[in-house]
Coordinates of all heavy atoms in Angstrom, one line a residue:
T419 N 103.3 91.7 115.4 CA 103.5 91.9 114.0 C 102.3 91.5 113.1 O 101.9 92.2 112.2 CB 104.7 91.1 113.5 OG1 105.9 91.4 114.3 CG2 105.1 91.4 112.1
A420 N 101.6 90.5 113.6 CA 100.5 90.1 112.9 C 99.2 90.9 113.0 O 98.3 90.9 112.2 CB 100.0 88.6 113.3
F421 N 99.1 91.7 114.1 CA 98.0 92.5 114.4 C 98.1 93.9 114.5 O 97.1 94.7 114.3 CB 97.4 92.0 115.8 CG 96.7 90.6 115.7 CD1 97.4 89.5 116.0 CD2 95.4 90.6 115.4 CE1 96.8 88.3 115.9 CE2 94.7 89.3 115.4 CZ 95.5 88.1 115.5
L422 N 99.3 94.5 114.7 CA 99.4 95.9 115.0 C 99.0 96.8 113.8 O 97.9 97.5 113.9 CB 100.8 96.3 115.4 CG 101.0 97.8 115.6 CD1 100.2 98.2 116.9 CD2 102.5 98.2 115.8
F423 N 99.6 96.7 112.7 CA 99.2 97.4 111.5 C 97.9 97.1 110.9 O 97.0 97.9 110.6 CB 100.3 97.4 110.4 CG 100.1 98.2 109.2 CD1 100.4 99.5 109.1 CD2 99.4 97.7 108.1 CE1 100.1 100.3 108.1 CE2 99.1 98.5 106.9 CZ 99.5 99.8 106.9
P424 N 97.5 95.8 110.6 CA 96.3 95.3 110.1 C 95.1 95.8 110.9 O 94.1 96.1 110.4 CB 96.4 93.8 110.0 CG 97.9 93.5 110.0 CD 98.5 94.6 110.8
A425 N 95.3 95.7 112.3 CA 94.1 96.1 113.1 C 93.8 97.5 113.0 O 92.6 98.0 113.0 CB 94.5 95.7 114.6
A426 N 94.9 98.4 113.0 CA 94.7 99.8 112.8 C 94.0 100.0 111.5 O 93.0 100.9 111.5 CB 96.1 100.6 112.9
V427 N 94.4 99.5 110.4 CA 93.8 99.7 109.1 C 92.3 99.1 109.1 O 91.5 99.8 108.6 CB 94.6 99.0 108.1 CG1 93.9 99.1 106.7 CG2 96.0 99.7 107.9
F428 N 92.1 98.0 109.7 CA 90.8 97.4 109.7 C 89.8 98.2 110.5 O 88.7 98.4 110.1 CB 90.8 96.0 110.3 CG 89.6 95.2 110.2 CD1 89.3 94.6 109.0 CD2 88.7 95.2 111.2 CE1 88.1 93.9 108.9 CE2 87.5 94.5 111.1 CZ 87.2 93.8 109.9
I429 N 90.3 98.8 111.6 CA 89.4 99.7 112.4 C 88.9 100.9 111.6 O 87.7 101.3 111.5 CB 90.0 100.2 113.7 CG1 90.2 99.0 114.6 CG2 89.2 101.2 114.4 CD1 90.9 99.3 115.8
V430 N 89.9 101.5 110.9 CA 89.5 102.7 110.1 C 88.7 102.3 108.8 O 87.7 103.0 108.6 CB 90.8 103.3 109.6 CG1 90.5 104.6 108.6 CG2 91.7 104.0 110.6
F431 N 89.0 101.2 108.3 CA 88.2 100.6 107.2 C 86.8 100.3 107.6 O 85.9 100.6 106.9 CB 88.9 99.4 106.5 CG 88.2 98.7 105.4 CD1 88.1 99.3 104.2 CD2 87.4 97.6 105.7 CE1 87.5 98.7 103.2 CE2 86.8 96.9 104.7 CZ 86.8 97.6 103.4
F432 N 86.6 99.7 108.8 CA 85.3 99.4 109.2 C 84.4 100.6 109.5 O 83.3 100.6 109.1 CB 85.5 98.5 110.5 CG 84.2 97.9 111.1 CD1 83.7 96.7 110.5 CD2 83.4 98.6 112.0 CE1 82.5 96.3 111.0 CE2 82.2 98.1 112.5 CZ 81.7 96.9 111.9

Side-chain angles (χ1 to χ4, degrees):
T419 305
F421 284 93
L422 180 66
F423 183 86
V427 172
F428 188 81
I429 290 172
V430 176
F431 177 74
F432 187 82

